[in-house]
Amino acid sequence: MKKIAYLLSVMFLFSAFAPAAMAKGVKKEITELTAEQLVRVGEIESRVAEIKSMDFSEMSKAEKNSVKTELKEMNKEARALNNGVYLSVGAIIVILLIVILLT
């Protein structure tokens, strides 16, 4: 019984990743950004350049944390403008564990 469960879980694992491997040849449509989105991307780029030029040694811990959270929010916003779907490593591990437990 263990051999069958192991075989089925490996088959499901390979069938889950096979479509992703085959899709590499398919080209994704490039979506054009609107004028408002282009302006926002420019603002984000200029703010990131300002943050890179800052001297963090003179900042307090609270100021450093606020800059860090601002960068994270801008990163999320930039990814949302790209219209992409992202899975973290933790999410992939959880999905694999669920598949293994259900088989």
Side-chain angles (χ1 to χ4, degrees):
M1 187 67 181
K2 280 188 174 182
K3 288 182 182 179
I4 293 172
Y6 179 72
L7 180 67
L8 286 175
S9 63
V10 170
M11 285 177 37
F12 283 124
L13 180 67
F14 285 128
S15 66
F17 290 112
M22 296 295 187
K24 287 185 179 179
V26 178
K27 293 192 177 187
K28 185 179 176 182
E29 289 183 26
I30 299 174
T31 56
E32 293 292 326
L33 298 176
T34 64
E36 297 166 352
Q37 290 173 335
L38 288 174
V39 169
R40 182 61 185 147
V41 168
E43 291 173 357
I44 291 173
E45 288 175 352
S46 64
R47 179 63 182 146
V48 169
E50 288 176 13
I51 291 173
K52 283 184 179 180
S53 65
M54 286 182 179
D55 185 20
F56 289 101
S57 63
E58 297 176 359
M59 292 182 154
S60 68
K61 188 173 183 177
E63 290 173 335
K64 289 178 187 178
N65 284 339
S66 66
V67 170
K68 183 178 177 181
T69 55
E70 182 184 359
L71 279 173
K72 284 183 180 181
E73 290 173 3
M74 286 190 294
N75 188 15
K76 287 179 185 178
E77 186 178 347
R79 283 188 176 193
L81 289 174
N82 194 15
N83 297 329
V85 177
Y86 299 96
L87 287 177
S88 66
V89 174
I92 292 172
I93 291 172
V94 168
I95 291 169
L96 289 175
L97 287 174
I98 290 172
V99 168
I100 290 171
L101 290 174
L102 291 178
T103 56

